[in-house]
Amino acid sequence: MTRTGNSRRTFIAGAAATAGALTGGGALAAPARAAQAAPAGAAATAASAAGERRVAVLGGGVAGLTAAHELAERGYAVTVYERRALGGKARSMDVPGSGRGGRRPLPAEHGFRFIPGIYHNLPDTMRRIPFPGNANGVWDNLTAPREMMFARAAGREDLRAPIPWPGHSAAELTPDELRRALTGILQSLVRLPLHETAYFVDRALVFLTSCDERRNEQWERTPWWEFTRAAQMSSEYQRILAIGVTRNIVATKAEEASTRTVGALGEAFVFNLLGLGADGPPDRILNLPTNEAWIDPWETHLRSLGVEFQIGWTVREVRYGDGRVSGVVVEDPAGAVRTVTADHYVSALPVEHARRTWSPALRAADPMLGRCDKLETDWMTGIQFYLTERAPLVHGHLNCIDSPWSLTAIQQAEHWPARDFPADYGDGVAVDCLSVDISEWDKPGILYGKTAKQCTREEIAREVWAQLKASLNDTGKTLLSDGKLHSWFLDPGVDGTGTPNPTNQDQLLIHPTGTFHNRPSAGTRIPNFFLSGDYVSVDIDLATMEGANASARAAVNSLLDHDGSKAGRCTVRPLYRAPAVEAFKRNDLWRYRLGLRNAFDLG
């Protein structure tokens, strides 16, 4: 979730560079084995060397790497074309010039990783990526924070709660921390009228027992704000149960967000908390910066399977002719335009980039591609603050629920036990990284009265820091102080803020009402062209790493079907469905087709 919620992002780094030197991604010394490069305008040739079927994977994020992984295991010759860096929005990156005295550069990221137990497909892939000393590959690099916090502003006590799971306990909490936790819970409950609590519980039951047809039609076209009757409720109800849930978890405005999407995610987390159908705890992050724990080992493993990478190559156009994709126009790192050809093509670019590459002829061959123009994206971007002293915040994620820019964050060093932060990273002065996701870019802040897009990069950093302090330093304790701030790093994908034309290279698919009906399938009407990415229709109706992984598996299965392959198909696991609820859903299907309300729907 990625949306993270979704703030859903944290990064890791793997120790698999020792498995062998990695070849230069942008090298042009030899043509790719899986997809040959030819001068622009050259005739497309798809002859397979030694009987191998060649696949060009366009994009090296989670979707592209998953597709390459599944295809390589089935004997296909694969080349991945990636314009920037492997891992996409999931990757970690170095803060330029920050390493001193032989230390690694400070680790940064687009947004912190979040891999909940509701995921099944992504964890399966992670188990199949070797990592030194781990019996279950990089999956063993997942660690579970034991608590979370809703940080309130304006003197409200923060709501801090343990995450229920075997091995998690509140026993280590001090009496003062227990007092604060109870105070936060009681303050929230007291301010939320009992009839509003009862109504929200009723709405949860309505969704839980709704049949798929009602979800896909009625609730997909109903905004969460309307479903929860937020306009008629208290400001506390709106803040926590309407705005807080959607903006901080799904990164979509409550007034627009599809009830189907919000409800399905909430349902999955409830089951996860109950231990039903879960891969693990409801909150998991990586125990190292992302590339160290996951992306680098993945690249190493894929290279060992024969996958080739062309890093720095930008996809410009997917060409169509004679009923098939005839080639892909790319720009190499030197700026030369060339056409690459293969037997099959998997488009694994984010939707806002992918649809720009689809030629008019390709779109005409499958009208489903045109519907993707209706899919919407928004900004959700990370900023990291490096501290000279670890702040006494929370042992897990915190949600600044009253912050104008909908901030979520996690303090990372304590979750990276294999690293001594000051000894391993930066200049030896910074001891921790407070990684923050900014989910709201279009509302005025508290420091300058400007939106994030209207602020310069420096103003964004100062504004986010001010909002963090307003949420965390408002109950008599100074948890964050200016004197402990070492430096900050804002995702370089954001550019032009403070000017009339701000841009963001890494936007996030959002889910306003009706989105479900515009999501494409992994297979297309073009027999050698397939789609993977978090915008593709899979069971998890949310733009997440799990959705990207599941869609790539679906794309590979479609490719295998078109190719007549005898290889085993990829397993694509849906979200958990509780057997005890299915009887209620069957009853609701009968009611829905008769035009009746759900049995729990009191109006």
Side-chain angles (χ1 to χ4, degrees):
M1 240 349 8
T2 15
R3 136 207 344 133
T4 288
N6 116 339
S7 224
R8 316 166 292 230
R9 311 213 172 146
T10 196
F11 63 20
I12 53 183
T18 57
L22 304 182
T23 59
L28 303 180
R33 182 170 62 93
Q36 296 172 346
T45 61
S48 298
E52 288 182 308
R53 303 291 282 168
R54 297 178 289 111
V55 183
V57 175
L58 314 178
V62 171
L65 294 179
T66 301
H69 194 157
E70 299 292 347
L71 287 163
E73 286 187 343
R74 288 160 176 80
Y76 283 82
V78 183
T79 296
V80 176
Y81 295 88
E82 166 56 42
R83 68 185 175 91
R84 187 173 50 188
L86 297 179
K89 291 191 286 287
R91 77 193 190 283
S92 58
M93 62 194 86
D94 295 337
V95 177
S98 62
R100 299 284 190 276
R103 299 178 185 85
R104 304 164 187 245
L106 288 169
E109 55 198 349
H110 168 71
F112 56 76
R113 299 276 66 71
F114 175 50
I115 304 174
I118 66 172
Y119 291 2
H120 289 282
N121 297 291
L122 184 68
D124 172 70
T125 296
M126 297 178 82
R127 288 183 177 93
R128 290 154 46 205
I129 303 170
F131 191 91
N134 287 359
N136 299 297
V138 302
W139 184 87
D140 282 341
N141 289 334
L142 293 175
T143 185
R146 70 175 188 265
E147 60 180 346
M148 64 174 295
M149 181 170 73
F150 288 94
R152 307 304 307 271
R156 299 290 308 283
E157 188 64 67
D158 298 332
L159 176 56
R160 177 173 171 175
I163 299 174
W165 198 259
H168 287 189
S169 171
E172 297 181 31
L173 294 179
T174 65
D176 181 62
E177 289 173 328
L178 287 171
R179 178 194 60 77
R180 292 188 62 186
L182 289 171
T183 301
I185 293 170
L186 289 173
Q187 282 188 355
S188 295
L189 291 178
V190 168
R191 293 202 179 195
L192 193 63
L194 290 178
H195 74 276
E196 292 187 354
T197 301
Y199 184 77
F200 186 82
V201 171
D202 172 70
R203 302 313 286 165
L205 286 173
V206 168
F207 187 86
L208 185 67
T209 58
S210 288
C211 65
D212 289 342
E213 285 190 22
R214 191 185 297 276
R215 292 185 182 198
N216 295 346
E217 296 300 328
Q218 183 178 0
W219 300 143
E220 172 61 22
R221 303 187 188 282
T222 303
W224 181 250
W225 185 268
E226 179 182 325
F227 179 77
T228 57
R229 284 196 177 179
Q232 303 172 35
M233 302 298 182
S234 65
S235 60
E236 194 76 356
Y237 180 101
Q238 294 174 359
R239 172 65 64 184
I240 296 175
L241 300 177
I243 297 173
V245 169
T246 55
R247 198 58 185 163
N248 291 284
I249 304 300
V250 191
T252 305
K253 296 177 176 64
E255 296 84 350
E256 303 172 358
S258 155
T259 292
R260 182 189 189 277
T261 298
V262 179
L265 185 68
E267 175 186 62
F269 273 107
V270 168
F271 290 147
N272 194 175
L273 285 167
L274 295 173
L276 299 175
D279 181 81
D283 187 359
R284 295 182 299 189
I285 60 176
L286 289 159
N287 63 3
L288 289 167
T290 307
N291 280 28
E292 291 182 46
W294 178 21
I295 303 301
D296 289 348
W298 203 0
E299 178 186 1
T300 298
H301 181 58
L302 294 183
R303 288 185 184 275
S304 75
L305 295 177
V307 176
E308 296 185 355
F309 296 94
Q310 296 290 3
I311 311 298
W313 293 53
T314 302
V315 177
R316 295 301 183 193
E317 182 182 3
V318 180
R319 288 184 170 171
Y320 178 83
D322 298 325
R324 302 171 62 83
V325 169
S326 58
V328 176
V329 178
V330 298
E331 183 178 322
D332 69 24
V337 176
R338 42 179 80 209
T339 299
V340 297
T341 63
D343 297 297
H344 300 285
Y345 303 82
V346 177
S347 177
L349 300 170
V351 66
E352 69 273 20
H353 298 297
R355 58 194 175 198
R356 292 200 295 262
T357 70
W358 298 338
S359 64
L362 188 76
R363 287 169 170 264
D366 191 343
M368 176 184 71
L369 299 177
R371 292 203 304 272
C372 292
D373 292 337
K374 297 180 180 180
L375 297 176
E376 299 179 32
T377 59
D378 203 348
W379 290 32
M380 185 178 186
T381 304
I383 182 171
Q384 287 76 54
F385 295 96
Y386 304 96
L387 309 178
T388 59
E389 185 176 319
R390 187 169 297 176
L393 301 179
V394 64
H395 302 293
H397 291 95
L398 64 92
N399 185 328
C400 298
I401 200 166
D402 297 319
S403 58
W405 289 1
S406 297
L407 306 179
T408 49
I410 188 167
Q411 200 166 211
Q412 293 181 319
E414 69 172 291
H415 304 292
W416 296 344
R419 291 280 178 264
D420 181 335
F421 198 96
D424 291 332
Y425 301 109
D427 57 5
V429 177
V431 302
D432 210 339
C433 172
L434 179 61
S435 187
V436 184
D437 280 358
I438 308 169
S439 295
E440 174 58 77
W441 286 74
D442 295 307
K443 286 187 178 180
I446 62 175
L447 198 60
Y448 300 104
K450 298 191 292 187
T451 70
K453 291 177 182 177
Q454 293 170 334
C455 291
T456 65
R457 296 178 71 86
E458 291 74 16
E459 289 173 338
I460 290 172
R462 288 194 286 268
E463 178 69 56
V464 172
W465 186 249
Q467 291 186 30
L468 289 170
K469 291 193 295 182
S471 293
L472 297 167
N473 294 351
D474 63 319
T475 55
K477 292 186 177 181
T478 302
L479 304 183
L480 291 180
S481 64
D482 295 343
K484 298 175 183 177
L485 179 59
H486 175 275
S487 55
W488 56 269
F489 182 82
L490 177 63
D491 184 351
V494 170
D495 194 21
T497 58
T499 74
N501 299 300
T503 60
N504 186 345
Q505 294 186 53
D506 300 295
Q507 297 193 37
L508 184 71
L509 180 73
I510 59 174
H511 303 267
T513 55
T515 298
F516 170 75
H517 300 289
N518 293 319
R519 292 169 71 113
S521 61
T524 73
R525 295 185 182 181
I526 300 100
N528 65 337
F529 185 63
F530 310 90
L531 304 178
S532 70
D534 59 14
Y535 66 98
V536 174
S537 181
V538 291
D539 191 61
I540 185 167
D541 182 26
L542 190 71
T544 57
M545 295 184 294
E546 173 76 350
N549 184 279
S551 71
R553 292 165 178 247
V556 170
N557 285 346
S558 183
L559 185 155
L560 296 174
D561 291 344
H562 279 81
D563 213 26
S565 173
K566 296 181 180 179
R569 290 343 188 221
C570 307
T571 299
V572 185
R573 287 192 59 178
L575 288 171
Y576 175 75
R577 298 175 71 103
V581 182
E582 293 305 306
F584 292 96
K585 291 182 178 179
R586 288 192 295 271
N587 177 67
D588 188 60
L589 177 60
W590 172 78
R591 295 180 63 88
Y592 180 71
R593 291 178 175 177
L594 289 176
L596 301 174
R597 288 180 175 179
N598 178 279
F600 291 94
D601 196 343
L602 304 179

